[in-house]
Amino acid sequence: MEEELITDGKYKYIEAGEGTPIIILHGLMGGLSNFTGVVDHFPKLGYKILMPELPIYTMPLVKTNVKSFAKFLEGFIKYKGLDNVILLGNSLGGHIGLLHTKLYPDLVKALIITGSSGLYESAMGDGYPRRGDYEFIKKKAQDVFYDPEVATPEVIDEVYATLNDRMKLVKTLAIAKSAIRHNMAKDLPKMNTPTCIIWGKEDTVTPPNVANEFHELLPDSDLFWIEKCGHAAMMEQPDKFNIVLEDWLKARKF
């Protein structure tokens, strides 16, 4: 991914390609680089990729929650003069996409979620982040993936730095609690937006039963599994992820 981060007013984002807009929503600990495979592939197929940097650590603490991020996304879509967008979100990003779609259904024509929160998530597993405990944070980062080697030293160092910043740690915990509060089980059956669910078979953060529940509750959804894959399918198995998504978009004529 060679695209530079564009700074325009309060928005920072990556933009690539021309055509049908796909807006990518990264997760709580996920950087923009996690979607390199998507950003490199889909502009070649006639899609415009837009990936805003979510204000996870720049919102006031009182607004550090899923609903504020959904409203931020609505502002970004209007700022770019778009409608009928496709949203693609991983983890917290999937949750933001789901809530945004509930609040602003007329702006979204399709939704793709992978490893999404919104029903259940176990980001902290059996313990909360320990500041200064590098080995603990390394293990937690590795547990996100089926192949622990995907958690490179750079990925681990970035998570370690985030959790050792006191205010970022406070906001990380605030967002995790907000995600639990904003359970969407009662909302999903009323959401008729076509939804593609792509899930890692070995996801331990949002386990496979979560994907099955999303599929059961969302009226117009398709569920696809990626083998030997954890919580971030687009990062761990980018080629397989792109094939699944490309085929779904073609089948649905988006």
Side-chain angles (χ1 to χ4, degrees), residues 238-251:
D239 293 339
K240 292 179 181 178
F241 183 90
N242 286 346
I243 289 169
V244 169
L245 179 52
E246 181 181 340
D247 287 349
W248 186 80
L249 292 169
K250 285 180 180 177

Side-chain angles (χ1 to χ4, degrees), residues 31-49:
L32 304 186
S33 63
N34 291 13
F35 287 88
T36 295
V38 174
V39 175
D40 289 345
H41 183 73
F42 283 91
K44 300 172 187 173
L45 304 177
Y47 296 93
K48 178 196 286 286
I49 296 292

Side-chain angles (χ1 to χ4, degrees), residues 128-198:
Y128 287 92
R130 302 174 192 168
R131 293 175 67 198
D133 189 339
Y134 187 85
E135 288 304 312
F136 177 86
I137 291 170
K138 178 181 178 181
K139 178 68 166 57
K140 287 295 178 188
Q142 290 176 332
D143 286 348
V144 169
F145 305 101
Y146 172 77
D147 177 5
E149 295 300 315
V150 178
T152 62
E154 291 77 15
V155 169
I156 296 165
D157 288 347
E158 187 173 340
V159 174
Y160 180 78
T162 296
L163 296 179
N164 275 276
D165 179 311
R166 184 182 174 280
M167 185 47 69
K168 285 185 177 180
L169 175 58
V170 168
K171 290 188 175 183
T172 296
L173 296 174
I175 293 166
K177 290 175 183 176
S178 168
I180 293 168
R181 285 198 308 272
H182 281 87
N183 186 288
M184 298 193 65
K186 293 180 180 178
D187 300 313
L188 299 180
K190 304 168 192 170
M191 294 171 56
N192 295 304
T193 303
T195 304
C196 177
I197 305 167
I198 307 177

Side-chain angles (χ1 to χ4, degrees), residues 77-254:
I77 291 172
K78 286 188 173 179
Y79 158 77
K80 292 298 293 180
L82 302 172
D83 56 18
N84 280 327
V85 302
I86 299 170
L87 299 181
L88 162 56
N90 171 241
S91 198
L92 174 69
H95 197 164
I96 294 167
L98 285 160
L99 184 56
H100 177 277
T101 301
K102 176 202 166 186
L103 295 173
Y104 312 102
D106 294 341
L107 294 178
V108 183
K109 70 176 179 180
L111 180 62
I112 304 110
I113 57 173
T114 180
S116 178
S117 58
L119 291 175
Y120 167 85
E121 58 89 30
S122 179
M124 301 307 171
D126 55 0
Y128 287 92
R130 302 174 192 168
R131 293 175 67 198
D133 189 339
Y134 187 85
E135 288 304 312
F136 177 86
I137 291 170
K138 178 181 178 181
K139 178 68 166 57
K140 287 295 178 188
Q142 290 176 332
D143 286 348
V144 169
F145 305 101
Y146 172 77
D147 177 5
E149 295 300 315
V150 178
T152 62
E154 291 77 15
V155 169
I156 296 165
D157 288 347
E158 187 173 340
V159 174
Y160 180 78
T162 296
L163 296 179
N164 275 276
D165 179 311
R166 184 182 174 280
M167 185 47 69
K168 285 185 177 180
L169 175 58
V170 168
K171 290 188 175 183
T172 296
L173 296 174
I175 293 166
K177 290 175 183 176
S178 168
I180 293 168
R181 285 198 308 272
H182 281 87
N183 186 288
M184 298 193 65
K186 293 180 180 178
D187 300 313
L188 299 180
K190 304 168 192 170
M191 294 171 56
N192 295 304
T193 303
T195 304
C196 177
I197 305 167
I198 307 177
W199 225 262
K201 265 285 191 180
E202 286 73 34
D203 189 343
T204 59
V205 179
T206 45
N209 64 292
V210 178
N212 285 323
E213 190 173 352
F214 271 121
H215 184 38
E216 290 168 7
L217 291 173
L218 285 161
D220 187 8
S221 64
D222 299 295
L223 173 58
F224 304 94
W225 298 103
I226 297 183
E227 303 281 347
K228 296 183 179 180
C229 185
H231 186 56
M234 72 294 162
M235 183 180 180
E236 188 165 11
Q237 297 279 8
D239 293 339
K240 292 179 181 178
F241 183 90
N242 286 346
I243 289 169
V244 169
L245 179 52
E246 181 181 340
D247 287 349
W248 186 80
L249 292 169
K250 285 180 180 177
R252 290 294 194 126
K253 296 181 169 58
F254 289 129

